[in-house]
Structures are given as structure tokens and as C-alpha cells.
DNA sequence: TTACAAATAGCAAGTACCTACTAAAAAGTA
DNA sequence: TACTTTTTAGTAGGTACTTGCTATTTGTAA
């Protein structure tokens, strides 16, 4: 993207990262580019159960800023992971759901969950934050 | 971490992200925290084949800065993913290899590779960078 | 007319992340 | 002494990513 256009429009995450060079057809890099946002997997996990309106997502994921939520949704839409359907009503209604590509994330995420769980149980939660008393771990 | 100690020492990635709140025992978050660095999976994939000296890694991965390379290695070591063995020689020799936790990354990464490949083939490489002529895609 | 709900966008400020460059240790060799 | 090889650390600067706050649209209800 040009340095001149300082304008901050939401882009496809793929596209945003696609100018870094010829490494971009690396499958892992692709996955990280498309799904690597701080909240994307969290949002997707909510959509595994079915489609949701924007407001529902907001209520289900209060730790995400509104700004971030739409931004992530917008990127996921541009990258073909979620589908956005607008109903022509007056208090507007927008429903988000997973595309086929989005559905395919589920087994992949299962692998992440699996590794993370193994790590947590095997290392006994945070590995050696020796500086903190153990009691503080669960804060 | 205290705002006062501006000192920039390498921390465990787990530890660095562990103060964000009670979400941290989420397995996915854990996985992303530990393995989410820009180069970590790339480094690990190099170690799947066996142990490597620092210099070998540097040569095999020229796109990574030396600084970043040791930093990522150090974090991975602190998080228990790689093992670091120092040989008491005069031009120093240090070998890095995967721990058991590190070995377990391989199947997980396979899932990432799989998703990324599916995405690339199904969407036909970069999805709609309509602003660029198709020829430019392979730059 | 004023107020409201639902969804979304923009900007400024802050934080985290990466890179480039410089430099240190250690012990043998020229 | 000066110089090499191998591994590692520090610092400054830049870029990318997140957050907080404010604002817009559009019918309908008060």
C-alpha cells in the first residue's frame, strides 16, 4: 500500500500481508496471515455453533472492543472466512456466519486447542514465573 | 511487568503475555502466546529434522535477523520448546534441539499447513487483489 | 421534534513487535 | 599484540497492531 494514502481502511488480512515478498505462498504463513489476528479465532469459535447477529457477538465477547470486532469481522469477510448478510430493516440487522472455508477452521483449531491443553497440563500452567508467588497465578 | 524497568530482557513468551487477565488458561491463547512469534514456527520446522547449531540455523534462515533468531530461540527455550546445549569449546558451539513439547508441535503445524494449502488452492492464491494485474502476483 | 436501537467508521494515542546496527566474550593463531 | 570464529546482547528507530472515544445512519416510538 502506498505510503501516501495514510487513510485507514480495512483490508483483507491476506492482502495486507501479501506484499512482503515471495514467501507468501507458504501455507503456514498464509494461515497466520488470515487467522492470526488477536481475536479472530475467538470470533470464529463463536460462529462454529451457527450464525450470529453483530449484537450477539458483541454481547458474547465483551472483552473485544466494538471497533476491533467489526474490523476483524470485516477482514474475515474479505478473506472469505465469514459471510455477512444484511437484512433491510430499520434497526439494522446483520448476520454473520461461516463460509465453507470458515468451517474448515474447526479441525485446525482443534489441533491448536489440543497442543495448548497438553502444554498447560504438562508444564503445570505458567512455566516457572518464579518471580510471582504461585497464589497470584490465577488472578 | 513494571513500567519503570524499561530494560529489555528476553522473557518467556508465555510469561510476557501471562499478565493480561484470566483468559490465559485458554488453550488457544496459550498456543498463540508460545508459538505465535513471527518466526517461531519457521525455526521449529527447521528443528523437526534434528538438532542444529546456531550458525546452521542462521544460514538456513537468512531472512531472519540474527537478533530475532536468538531472541526467538531464547523464548522458545524459556517456554520449554527447545533445548539449548553449550559445548565448552573455544569458538563456541551451541546446539539447539526440540524438547518433547517441541516435538508435539509437528502434528499441530501439519494442521496449519493443511488449512493454508486448502485455502490457497481453493481461493486460487491471493483472493481478489483486484488492484494488481494478475501477472504481478508472483513477484 | 426528540430520543432510540443496531451496526459501523474514523482518528488519536498507546503498546507491542521487528529491524538495523553496533558490540561483547573467549581462546587459540599469526 | 592484533585477529579470527562463534554466539549472544543492547539500543534506537520504525512499523504494525489495539484501544478509547466520538460520530453517523435510519426508521420508529414517545
Amino acid at each position: 500500500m502506498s505510503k501516501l494514502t495514510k487513510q485507514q481502511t480495512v483490508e483483507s488480512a491476506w492482502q495486507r500481508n501479501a506484499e512482503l515478498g515471495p514467501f507468501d505462498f507458504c501455507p503456514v504463513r498464509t494461515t497466520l496471515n488470515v487467522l492470526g489476528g488477536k481475536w479472530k479465532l475467538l470470533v470464529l469459535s463463536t460462529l462454529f455453533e451457527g450464525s450470529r447477529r453483530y449484537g450477539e457477538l458483541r454481547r458474547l465477547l465483551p472483552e473485544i472492543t466494538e471497533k476491533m470486532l467489526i474490523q476483524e469481522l470485516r477482514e474475515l469477510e474479505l478473506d472469505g472466512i465469514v459471510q455477512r448478510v444484511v437484512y433491510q430493516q430499520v434497526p439494522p440487522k446483520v448476520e454473520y456466519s461461516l463460509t465453507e472455508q470458515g468451517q474448515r477452521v474447526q479441525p485446525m483449531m482443534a489441533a491448536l486447542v489440543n497442543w495448548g491443553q497438553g502444554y498447560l497440563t504438562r508444564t503445570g500452567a505458567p512455566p516457572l514465573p518464579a518471580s510471582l508467588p504461585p497464589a497470584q497465578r490465577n488472578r
Side-chain angles (χ1 to χ4, degrees), chain A:
Chain A
M1 179 176 45
S2 157
K3 292 281 170 71
L4 300 174
T5 26
K6 175 64 181 162
Q7 193 187 20
Q8 175 194 3
T9 9
V10 181
E11 298 172 281
S12 140
W14 215 116
Q15 199 170 329
R16 172 156 35 81
N17 291 296
E19 313 197 33
L20 299 174
F23 310 92
D24 302 307
F25 292 82
C26 166
V28 176
R29 195 46 57 96
T30 300
T31 305
L32 295 178
N33 283 349
V34 175
L35 304 177
K38 182 169 180 185
W39 305 109
K40 287 194 178 152
L41 290 178
L42 188 57
V43 172
L44 290 183
S45 70
T46 308
L47 292 174
F48 286 148
E49 303 160 24
S51 68
R52 297 273 184 191
R53 316 185 39 168
Y54 170 76
E56 289 183 278
L57 291 173
R58 190 156 50 73
R59 257 170 277 120
L60 289 166
L61 307 169
E63 61 271 41
I64 312 184
T65 331
E66 293 197 351
K67 176 72 190 306
M68 265 293 108
L69 183 53
I70 359 166
Q71 191 172 307
E72 302 279 60
L73 284 169
R74 187 103 187 76
E75 287 185 9
L76 289 169
E77 187 198 357
L78 288 170
D79 285 324
I81 308 299
V82 307
Q83 194 187 1
R84 179 171 169 273
V85 178
V86 184
Y87 294 79
Q88 286 303 130
Q89 304 181 354
V90 170
K93 172 180 174 179
V94 180
E95 280 212 335
Y96 291 93
S97 58
L98 294 178
T99 63
E100 202 190 332
Q101 282 302 323
Q103 305 281 1
R104 286 185 220 278
V105 172
Q106 193 156 20
M108 191 211 73
M109 184 136 70
L112 294 194
V113 169
N114 187 49
W115 190 89
Q117 271 173 346
Y119 183 80
L120 283 172
T121 61
R122 262 179 265 275
T123 61
L128 35 115
S131 53
L132 301 178
Q136 206 167 334
R137 285 179 175 174
N138 288 314
R139 178 179 54 92

